[in-house]
Amino acid sequence: MNASENMAKQILNASEVDPNKILPIKYPWAREYYKNGVANNWVPEEIPMQQDIELWKERGGLSEDERRMVMWNLGFFSTAESLTANNIVLSIYRHVTNPECRQYMLRQAYEEAVHTETFIYCCDSLGLDPDHVFNMYNSIPSIKKKDDFVVEMTKSLLDPGFTTSGNENIKRFLHDLIGYYVIMEGIFFYAGFAMMLSFKRMNKMIGVGEQFQYILRDESVHLAFGVDLINTIVSENPDVWNDDFKKITVENIKRAVDLEAEYAKDCLPGGILGLTSDTVIQYVQYIADRRLERLNLPQIYNVRNPFPWLSEVIDLRKEKNFFETRVTEYKTGGQLEW
Ligand code: FE
Ligand code: MN
């Protein structure tokens, strides 16, 4: 293969790309993720919230600590979802011109809109003050620090003059993709998933828990796509993945784990029955090692997974048979009748 043929088909800086011509497909994994996303379709309104509403409003139904944990998680996720949607549409989409990757990103953007809608629905159902919930990214320091870290890590892409031409820019782009996909969607969402799904297992706030479970299933596909995108760019530009860059990546992941630990302590200052911040932090460390593995970097924490039941949902990524009944119902519901 000569140099120009090599340039013709790749994710960044391709010499020949028609963003409107999807066939023949170069990256079949992108299309697979698109199909997975469609097969997983759901909307928050189909999850009953009655039990949650009763428990939330019942005097003494939940302890102050339990309420705080639920509120903080709603607060973080309510704005993180739109931050992610904006990042995809306003920065990544502009630079990744490959049509099958774009097809998936459009699907992902839609799912982020569904996730944003989920938090509107939760606020409405529980009668929460939307100004309070949707302003927690400003008012709660441990949430603000996470959001600020991602914004800081990914700001170069928002520069309208940014291009991916040359190795230094490819590195900046990869650095930002790691911020979006590996840190935001792959680490910063996971203390919340662990807390809310543990709570659901205790039979508390099961509607909100189920909403989080659907979001988790979507997010595990977003993360898988992001990692494939990152690893493909690296394989097409192997020079950028040097020791310096690996070191920066590992430092960023460590910093993310520290911020997530701070957030977990803030959500669970005294722990609640059956759940402590230490366990959640161990889970975040376990998850960070899995992310490092996917990026072909050495593990840091080497800890045991404290929530194996949760890992089954995430790590095996059973998109096809997890929630099978629901998915089937959606498929039937989605058919048009003439
Ligand atoms: Fe999301
Ligand atoms: Mn996402």
Side-chain angles (χ1 to χ4, degrees):
M1 209 190 295
N2 66 35
S4 71
E5 271 174 62
N6 213 9
M7 290 292 286
K9 293 177 175 177
Q10 54 179 29
I11 297 213
L12 296 182
N13 309 320
S15 56
E16 290 167 27
V17 162
D18 179 349
N20 300 316
K21 186 170 167 285
I22 194 163
L23 294 175
I25 284 185
K26 166 80 188 287
Y27 303 106
W29 46 266
R31 183 159 165 71
E32 271 308 300
Y33 291 129
Y34 171 79
K35 287 183 179 173
N36 275 339
V38 173
N40 287 345
N41 210 50
W42 67 285
V43 287
E45 291 80 359
E46 303 201 32
I47 296 160
M49 296 291 283
Q50 200 48 43
Q51 255 181 282
D52 297 49
I53 295 166
E54 283 164 20
L55 184 62
W56 190 258
K57 294 193 170 159
E58 185 190 324
R59 212 174 240 282
L62 292 176
S63 70
E64 277 316 302
D65 281 354
E66 290 172 332
R67 293 174 103 73
R68 175 191 179 101
M69 186 197 78
V70 173
M71 283 301 288
W72 261 229
N73 281 307
L74 292 175
F76 168 68
F77 278 84
S78 64
T79 40
E81 299 289 2
S82 359
L83 182 65
T84 308
N86 290 337
N87 287 338
I88 292 161
V89 176
L90 299 175
S91 9
I92 307 175
Y93 196 88
R94 206 153 61 88
H95 301 289
V96 175
T97 48
N98 171 265
E100 54 271 29
C101 290
R102 281 190 160 183
Q103 185 188 28
Y104 180 72
M105 285 188 275
L106 291 174
R107 173 71 208 181
Q108 185 186 345
Y110 164 71
E111 289 171 11
E112 302 306 357
V114 172
H115 299 172
T116 301
E117 179 62 28
T118 304
F119 295 98
I120 298 174
Y121 180 64
C122 288
C123 277
D124 278 356
S125 308
L126 301 177
L128 306 175
D129 171 8
D131 276 343
H132 176 53
V133 173
F134 283 79
N135 197 38
M136 285 171 91
Y137 78 104
N138 275 322
S139 61
I140 307 292
S142 61
I143 295 179
K144 186 171 175 8
K145 279 192 195 169
K146 283 168 51 160
D147 286 345
D148 285 351
F149 182 63
V150 169
V151 169
E152 174 62 30
M153 225 193 127
T154 56
K155 67 179 178 191
S156 56
L157 290 199
L158 288 170
D159 171 359
F162 177 78
T163 75
T164 54
S165 137
N167 278 352
E168 281 317 302
N169 286 330
I170 293 174
K171 269 188 223 166
R172 280 172 70 188
F173 190 63
L174 277 174
H175 172 270
D176 289 24
L177 283 182
I178 290 166
Y180 291 137
Y181 281 108
V182 179
I183 290 178
M184 185 57 141
E185 298 193 289
I187 294 175
F188 283 172
F189 282 10
Y190 279 79
F193 286 143
M195 288 183 249
M196 296 307 292
L197 295 182
S198 297
F199 211 43
K200 176 175 180 275
R201 273 192 124 209
M202 300 167 202
N203 233 357
K204 288 179 176 173
M205 302 305 278
I206 54 175
V208 176
E210 197 174 333
Q211 310 270 5
F212 271 79
Q213 208 161 345
Y214 276 105
I215 292 177
L216 167 59
R217 186 180 59 176
D218 291 344
E219 293 303 339
S220 71
V221 186
H222 301 174
L223 170 69
F225 168 82
V227 172
D228 277 356
L229 183 65
I230 290 163
N231 286 337
T232 304
I233 294 173
V234 169
S235 73
E236 292 174 347
N237 305 276
D239 294 348
V240 301
W241 196 247
N242 58 23
D243 287 346
D244 277 354
F245 189 76
K246 287 182 201 171
K247 198 170 157 236
I248 292 168
T249 302
V250 169
E251 288 310 313
N252 281 324
I253 289 177
K254 277 190 192 160
R255 172 91 180 119
V257 169
D258 291 345
L259 290 173
E260 193 64 351
E262 201 178 316
Y263 171 75
K265 281 183 201 149
D266 214 5
C267 291
L268 287 167
I272 58 174
L273 190 65
L275 189 64
T276 65
S277 59
D278 285 347
T279 324
V280 174
I281 292 166
Q282 185 180 328
Y283 179 69
V284 171
Q285 293 174 336
Y286 170 82
I287 279 299
D289 273 346
R290 304 288 75 76
R291 308 300 177 246
L292 289 161
E293 254 176 1
R294 298 279 295 276
L295 295 172
N296 304 304
L297 294 168
Q299 298 184 42
I300 300 172
Y301 302 98
N302 299 298
V303 291
R304 187 182 57 83
N305 179 6
F307 303 121
W309 54 270
L310 184 51
S311 146
E312 196 166 295
V313 174
I314 302 157
D315 294 340
L316 300 180
R317 294 195 298 105
K318 295 178 179 171
E319 288 94 358
K320 296 243 166 73
N321 54 22
F322 176 54
F323 283 68
E324 197 151 45
T325 39
R326 190 72 65 143
V327 171
T328 313
E329 278 166 26
Y330 277 104
K331 276 184 185 147
T332 322
Q335 278 166 1
L336 289 173
E337 284 187 19
W338 295 92

